[in-house]
Amino acid sequence: MIPIKLRIVGGGEDLLGDMDRKSANMDSLVVCFGEFLIDFVPTVGGVSLAEAPAFKKAPGGAPANVAVCVSRLGGSSAFIGKVGDDEFGHMLANILKENYVDNTGMRFDQSARTALAFVTLRADGEREFLFFRHPSADMRLHESELDINLINKAKIFHYGSISLIEEPCRSAQLAAMTIAKKSGSILSYDPNLRLPLWPSAEAAREGIMSIWEQADLIKVSEDEITFLTEGGDPYDDNVVMNKLFHPNLKLLIVTEGSAGCRYYTKAFKGRVPGIKVTAVDTTGAGDAFVGGLLSSLASDLNLFQDEKGLREALAFANACGALTVTGRGAIPALPTKQAVVDALTKYSAS
């Protein structure tokens, strides 16, 4: 990872100045494609959505979370997607701007609203989702609305699977992936399974796997392995390598929550333990992990071949995810680079 110059903002080491960021990171841009929405999170933990006394609104959506995470860690990022031409949509665009994320690839729909999602962590540890998108603006992004110049600048092009569910955004995502690949970008894929949004489990499995072999980097959770392999053991290396690793893949990551992550390449594999914290809200933890990893890779693509360096980058990513669960909401809880460095220093000393 390259050293990153931090400036003091609001009494602490925080975001880079806009000019410093542009001059330092023009060649390490991470472009994130997909959904951006409003998460409504209960004001108290451990309750179902029906039991929640009140909700706090927070910006969310996995690709946008990743873009903000990369920027907050001192990297250069951009977001491509569509929101409603409404107060929530313009609020989200401003949040990206405030976090030094290039939002010039955003589009505003005048006939569909910004998506809403109610998210809670129940007492049994399970997350519960309730989505309002019938349809929402993110589903209505057309190929003709893509910012091709922005995609061409991407060192890493990151996306999920939710935009594959319906047209026209499915075709827009496929076109964006093709443009990015032709321009030499690394394609990063986090399926981010959300079964309630798909017509059926089979449609979800087929949709997610339909673009599997195009990715250079894939991050999956244990639950997603079981789902995608139709009952395969997520801890079995043979299941992972035989059913999910493909010939063109540079890196496959399996996240294990607080336990850490496993990594697989053609040349090596291993596991990096996580950092133990007290979880308040797990929303966005996986996105923070991805943002942490992509911020490192954007600075040094040699990490794909350097196991020692990759392990350090994954320890950094684990810490990003761990710190995020200590706050409520995804984007508000994303850590700064200094917070991650402090957490790793404290963990290594304990």
Side-chain angles (χ1 to χ4, degrees), residues 115-128:
L116 308 179
F118 289 78
V119 189
T120 188
L121 182 67
R122 301 192 314 233
D124 60 6
E126 291 298 315
R127 279 195 294 175
E128 184 180 355

Side-chain angles (χ1 to χ4, degrees), residues 10-42:
E13 286 189 289
D14 206 325
L15 300 173
L16 284 169
D18 201 25
M19 293 305 294
D20 288 343
R21 180 186 306 283
K22 287 180 180 178
S23 61
N25 296 310
M26 281 297 288
D27 62 343
S28 58
L29 179 66
V30 178
V31 176
C32 301
F33 175 98
E35 69 277 9
F36 199 9
L37 55 127
I38 304 292
D39 284 336
F40 284 91
V41 184

Side-chain angles (χ1 to χ4, degrees), residues 291-321:
L293 177 59
L294 296 187
S295 69
S296 298
L297 285 169
S299 298
D300 184 9
L301 291 180
N302 290 324
L303 292 176
F304 286 124
Q305 292 84 37
D306 174 11
E307 185 171 11
K308 182 178 181 293
L310 178 61
R311 289 182 63 85
E312 292 174 356
L314 291 173
F316 184 87
N318 281 342
C320 290

Side-chain angles (χ1 to χ4, degrees), residues 271-290:
R271 185 176 176 278
V272 178
I275 293 178
K276 303 297 182 184
V277 296
T278 301
V280 173
D281 177 12
T282 58
T283 306
D287 305 328
F289 174 93
V290 172

Side-chain angles (χ1 to χ4, degrees), residues 251-275:
L251 177 64
L252 176 64
I253 299 292
V254 179
T255 52
E256 301 178 339
S258 61
C261 67
R262 305 197 306 274
Y263 59 91
Y264 301 85
T265 73
K266 292 178 182 178
F268 49 77
K269 63 183 179 181
R271 185 176 176 278
V272 178
I275 293 178

